[in-house]
């Protein structure tokens, strides 16, 4: 068995919870190592996030420390199996000075394009990346496939042992996808990738209650397409691939600080 390591990382991505046959309800987390001198990607899976004590329930852009180890079941170079009991929240990076603290970790890892991330995957197995899309064309959605009978049975089994305060995991009935061009796309080419960020699922749940079904979808489109991709934002996509289909990437989250008017380097 591979040895445990102590990692510190800046959390940049929390995907919406999924139901695993082996692990039950769990979350995939990605972030940037803060203890390696040079920023480096790391993926943590599975994280039983909603089962964690509240003091351990980290937010995006928290810096956390934990024990983790490599695993033979996921050979992607950034992937670690976390010891959830060891998670400690150390600090939080705020948005002051146009997200200066966050940019200092994200920008050194920025790839030229989505096509460049895919090329790196083919050459070295890279499975995480961040880049600026050249042009965001649309945010679309389609009906999601309902949970399988086996997945629902797993959740029902787990609910017997959950605290009454833990809310059941609600299915999001839609798959949201970005359609965009990266810097290396030809004139008529584009990428279309599913958005897996927890935020978009939670926004749907919250806004459906507030605005109704159609109103929630309009609000999501406004937030993720009109606002985040506006000319006032320096939009980047965090992307990651799927273990079973390493050439298939999804949008794991968005990084959208204010667009800097100065072209002078930050660092």
């Amino acid at each position: 068995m591979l040895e445990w390591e102590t990692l510190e990382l800046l959390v940049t991505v929390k995907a919406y919870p999924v139901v695993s046959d082996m692990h039950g309800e769990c979350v995939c987390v990605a972030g940037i190592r803060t203890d390696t001198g040079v920023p480096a990607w790391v993926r943590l899976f599975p994280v039983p996030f909603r089962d964690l004590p509240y003091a351990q329930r980290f937010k995006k852009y928290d810096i956390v420390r934990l024990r983790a180890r490599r695993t033979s079941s996921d050979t992607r170079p950034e992937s670690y199996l976390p010891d959830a009991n060891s998670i400690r929240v150390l600090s939080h990076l705020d948005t002051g000075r146009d997200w200066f603290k966050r940019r200092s970790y994200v920008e050194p890892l920025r790839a030229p394009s989505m096509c460049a991330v895919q090329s790196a995957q083919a050459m070295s197995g890279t499975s995480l990346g961040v880049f600026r899309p050249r042009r965001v064309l649309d945010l679309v959605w389609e009906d999601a496939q309902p949970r399988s009978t086996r997945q629902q049975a797993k959740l029902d089994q787990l609910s017997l042992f959950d605290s009454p305060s833990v809310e059941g995991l609600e299915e999001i009935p839609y798959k949201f996808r970005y359609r965009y061009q990266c810097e290396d796309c030809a004139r008529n080419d584009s990428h279309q990738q599913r958005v897996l960020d927890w935020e978009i699922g939670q926004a749907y749940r919250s806004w459906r209650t507030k605005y109704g079904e159609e109103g929630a979808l309009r609000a999501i489109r406004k937030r993720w397409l009109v606002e985040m991709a506006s000319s006032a934002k320096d939009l980047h996509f965090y992307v990651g691939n799927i273990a079973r289909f390493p050439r298939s990437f999804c949008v794991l989250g968005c990084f959208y600080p204010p667009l800097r008017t100065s072209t002078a380097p930050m660092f």
Side-chain angles (χ1 to χ4, degrees), residues 178-221:
Y178 267 124
R179 189 167 66 86
Y180 66 91
Q181 292 179 319
C182 76
E183 287 295 341
D184 290 329
C185 281
R187 179 185 299 272
N188 295 321
D189 291 340
S190 64
H191 300 278
Q192 183 164 290
Q193 294 171 335
R194 187 175 177 184
V195 184
L196 299 183
D197 194 354
W198 193 328
E199 288 185 9
I200 201 168
Q202 187 58 33
Y204 167 79
R205 295 177 64 240
S206 175
W207 290 342
R208 182 191 56 194
T209 300
K210 187 174 183 180
Y211 304 123
E213 186 79 11
E214 294 301 319
L217 294 173
R218 286 195 298 269
I220 286 173
R221 185 179 177 82

Side-chain angles (χ1 to χ4, degrees), residues 248-264:
S248 296
F249 280 78
C250 300
V251 175
L252 304 179
C254 297
F255 181 69
Y256 48 97
L259 185 68
R260 296 199 306 270
T261 55
S262 171
T263 57

Side-chain angles (χ1 to χ4, degrees), residues 4-7 44 52-53 56 58 64-69 81-90:
W4 292 96
E5 304 175 43
T6 298
L7 313 181
L44 303 175
L52 294 175
Q56 293 178 269
F58 50 83
V64 301
R65 179 187 295 133
L66 74 157
R67 293 197 324 147
R69 63 177 175 84
L81 174 72
D83 172 6
N85 293 327
S86 72
I87 295 172
R88 298 294 180 268
V89 178
L90 303 181

Side-chain angles (χ1 to χ4, degrees), residues 35-52:
D35 58 350
T36 51
V38 177
W41 290 114
V42 63
R43 173 189 291 103
L44 303 175
F45 183 84
V47 179
F49 187 82
R50 298 199 310 154
D51 290 333
L52 294 175

Side-chain angles (χ1 to χ4, degrees), residues 83-141:
D83 172 6
N85 293 327
S86 72
I87 295 172
R88 298 294 180 268
V89 178
L90 303 181
S91 61
H92 180 76
L93 299 191
D94 61 31
T95 58
R97 298 174 60 196
D98 292 340
W99 296 35
F100 177 83
K101 294 178 183 178
R102 300 179 183 185
R103 283 182 184 269
S104 68
Y105 288 99
V106 174
E107 291 195 345
L109 290 174
R110 186 170 60 211
S113 66
M114 181 65 236
C115 292
V117 174
Q118 289 175 318
S119 295
Q121 194 285 322
M123 290 187 293
S124 62
T126 296
S127 65
L128 292 168
V130 64
F131 63 93
R132 286 189 181 111
R134 183 176 74 204
R135 183 184 177 200
V136 179
L137 302 172
D138 207 352
L139 179 77
V140 298
W141 52 85

